[in-house]
Amino acid sequence: MAFAAEALRKQLGRYKFRDLTIEELKTVNKTYPNFTFSMNTYTFKDGSQKDLLNFSGTVPVKYGNSYNIPICLWILDSHPFAPPICFLKPTANMGISVGKHVDAHGRIYLPYLQNWSHPKSTIVGLIKEMIAKFEEELPLYSLSSSDAARQSELLSYIAKITEGETDTKSKSKTGGDKNEGRFSKITVVGAGDLGIACVLAVAAKGVADKVVLLDLSEGAAKGGTMDLEIFALPNVEISKDFSASADSKVVVLTVNSLGDAQTYLDVIQSNVDLFRGIIPAVSRYSQNSVLLVTSHPVEVMTYVSWKLSAFPKSRVIGVGGNLDTERFQYILANLLQAQALGKDAWIVGEQGEDKGKVIRCHDLANRAMEILKGKGQRSWSVGLSVADLTDSILKDKRKVHSVSTLAKGCCNINSEVFLSLPCILGTSGVIEVVKLEEDPSVQEKLQSSAGSIHDLQQQLKL
């Protein structure tokens, strides 16, 4: 391997962390000496190509009998900070068993890839999990002679266009989009009802040139994600790899943990643990993006996103009171015929019963709030609110929205907490926080919310 390492060192000239990559490959070679390494051209989904290191070989799997499963791993030039792209490499007499961890093209999906984080994650560790999952569900089977002919055609197709996604810089290095500066891309993280609602709302509004739905669930597509694949929408891509989010202008976070937590604090901690595997990855692939958080509780999870991403405070916001504010203003202007008041009416603070209202006429405000109480926050309505916010950001509208932003320094709040405040939004996120009128009751509510949220954050393990 010493000679091979020196040869690879020359070939990996464009790899950002060449020495780290080579050291890891030495370990792989010791553990799995049958693997062969080479530089080959990889074709990404957008048609762009890049010379990448790949290695192929077989891994031993016991499934009743012993099998040697052929695999191929492509190493991105941002390795070890980005996970490999993994495929089965079946021979002509092998068929692919589409299942929980393998798609029809032989692409391999594993929790280990989803949760990839250097230095904890390694290629050897990845292969060990791969073996364990294949021993639960064998990914290949023997074909009859007629099936083998059809399989040969499939293998030919896979060889010509290897399905995958680019890493952060691949577009710029391979030509990419001709109008890269104007190309707008949004990534929605989480393929639950809210994530799909956001994708549909953003696509319907025509906000972005491309929308990526990042499905972090294990196994093949199901439910709404499968429907999106069946009824393919233009400019919408579904992926399980964080690299598909590269160069997004806005990243919308809709995921919530579905663990077995017993207490409210446990529920939030489960979400924090989930975000620890997500925020660093999307932040790395889209370093100039605006993070838009919808996960619950939105104030706390926006704070968590800010801390984990190390982004400027202006580029991490929560959906906060935007939906309630838009409804509040609509009720005032259209149902209570108070158009003038509606323009300067805001729902501020935190989501829930402790939210405050900013309006000059308290009688009308109370009537509007009574009407507003009957309106829930369903997935599709939050999706519409997200589309509204992304529209203001991408088009640099400089429109005022009530969103969760860092409230330290506002209304005598001295702690690092995020609360909904009226903010002017543009391409860089929050451009300016609009100063609130000095209403003692509103300031008291904001300070109370800040105190309770701060106390809760102090109990979390980031």
Side-chain angles (χ1 to χ4, degrees), residues 257-263 266 270:
S257 175
L258 300 176
D260 300 322
Q262 298 297 314
T263 68
D266 290 339
S270 294

Side-chain angles (χ1 to χ4, degrees), residues 411-423:
C411 300
N412 296 317
I413 295 171
N414 297 315
S415 52
E416 291 184 336
V417 296
F418 281 70
L419 292 171
S420 286
L421 296 169
C423 299

Side-chain angles (χ1 to χ4, degrees), residues 23-327:
E23 285 304 310
E24 185 166 7
L25 293 181
K26 287 181 181 179
T27 304
V28 174
N29 186 67
K30 289 177 183 177
T31 312
Y32 301 98
N34 72 78
F35 278 90
T36 58
F37 301 82
S38 63
M39 293 293 293
N40 292 100
T41 302
Y42 185 86
T43 303
F44 296 97
K45 268 187 175 178
D46 62 2
S48 63
Q49 295 182 326
K50 180 179 282 191
D51 289 335
L52 293 177
L53 173 68
N54 81 90
F55 58 92
S56 56
T58 60
V59 293
V61 172
K62 290 183 179 180
Y63 192 83
N65 297 321
S66 294
Y67 299 91
N68 290 316
I69 303 297
I71 61 170
C72 175
L73 277 66
W74 293 85
I75 308 300
L76 294 172
D77 60 7
S78 51
H79 189 84
F81 295 94
I85 299 171
C86 307
F87 287 91
L88 293 169
K89 197 177 181 183
T91 60
N93 63 345
M94 294 179 180
I96 297 171
S97 295
V98 177
K100 192 175 181 181
H101 301 295
V102 178
D103 68 15
H105 298 292
R107 181 73 179 268
I108 299 169
Y109 302 99
L110 296 170
Y112 201 95
L113 291 168
Q114 176 185 321
N115 300 318
W116 186 275
S117 176
H118 176 75
K120 179 179 67 175
S121 303
T122 64
I123 294 174
V124 170
L126 168 64
I127 294 174
K128 286 181 179 177
E129 178 170 292
M130 198 177 292
I131 292 171
K133 296 300 183 184
F134 289 170
E135 288 180 344
E136 295 173 6
E137 190 176 273
L138 202 62
L140 297 171
Y141 62 93
S142 296
L143 291 170
S144 64
S145 57
S146 58
D147 288 335
R150 289 194 292 271
Q151 175 71 355
S152 181
E153 293 179 6
L154 175 61
L155 292 175
S156 176
Y157 167 76
I158 294 175
K160 288 180 181 177
I161 306 177
T162 306
E163 192 170 41
E165 286 80 38
T166 181
D167 69 328
T168 310
K169 301 297 182 182
S170 65
K171 279 191 177 181
S172 60
K173 289 185 179 180
T174 57
D177 192 281
K178 291 181 180 179
N179 299 315
E180 187 176 355
R182 290 177 287 170
F183 186 81
S184 59
K185 174 178 173 182
I186 293 174
T187 291
V188 177
V189 182
D193 289 345
L194 178 54
I196 292 171
C198 289
V199 169
L200 294 175
V202 169
K205 201 173 180 71
V207 173
D209 298 305
K210 184 175 183 179
V211 184
V212 174
L213 176 62
L214 200 56
D215 180 4
L216 302 183
S217 60
E218 291 187 30
K222 52 188 175 182
T225 311
M226 183 175 69
D227 292 338
L228 279 179
E229 288 187 340
I230 294 170
F231 303 102
L233 294 177
N235 305 325
V236 173
E237 175 189 347
I238 302 170
S239 177
K240 286 181 174 291
D241 278 0
F242 284 108
S243 57
S245 68
D247 301 321
S248 294
K249 296 290 192 296
V250 178
V251 176
V252 183
L253 296 141
T254 71
V255 290
N256 284 291
S257 175
L258 300 176
D260 300 322
Q262 298 297 314
T263 68
Y264 183 55
L265 180 62
D266 290 339
V267 171
I268 300 174
Q269 185 62 56
S270 294
N271 266 358
V272 172
D273 295 341
L274 186 63
F275 270 45
R276 272 207 298 259
I278 295 172
I279 300 299
V282 295
S283 303
R284 183 169 65 245
Y285 281 113
S286 300
Q287 297 177 9
N288 297 311
S289 64
V290 173
L291 300 183
L292 177 56
V293 182
T294 72
S295 305
H296 293 296
V298 68
E299 296 83 17
V300 175
M301 298 317 297
T302 307
Y303 166 81
V304 170
S305 300
W306 176 54
K307 285 295 185 182
L308 292 175
S309 67
F311 277 10
K313 63 181 182 181
S314 61
R315 289 201 284 116
V316 184
I317 60 178
V319 289
N322 185 63
L323 175 57
D324 279 343
T325 291
E326 293 294 332
R327 287 172 168 175

Side-chain angles (χ1 to χ4, degrees), residues 326-378:
E326 293 294 332
R327 287 172 168 175
F328 190 52
Q329 292 178 351
Y330 178 86
I331 291 167
L332 285 168
N334 295 278
L335 302 185
L336 301 181
Q337 302 299 311
Q339 288 89 345
L341 288 175
K343 294 178 182 178
D344 297 316
W346 309 100
I347 300 297
V348 297
E350 61 179 310
Q351 285 189 349
E353 294 300 318
D354 289 331
K355 58 193 172 191
K357 53 189 180 296
V358 179
I359 183 173
R360 291 189 297 274
C361 180
H362 291 283
D363 180 51
L364 276 177
N366 292 333
R367 288 166 61 190
M369 288 297 287
E370 284 301 314
I371 299 173
L372 188 61
K373 281 181 181 178
K375 307 295 181 183
Q377 293 213 357
R378 298 174 179 85

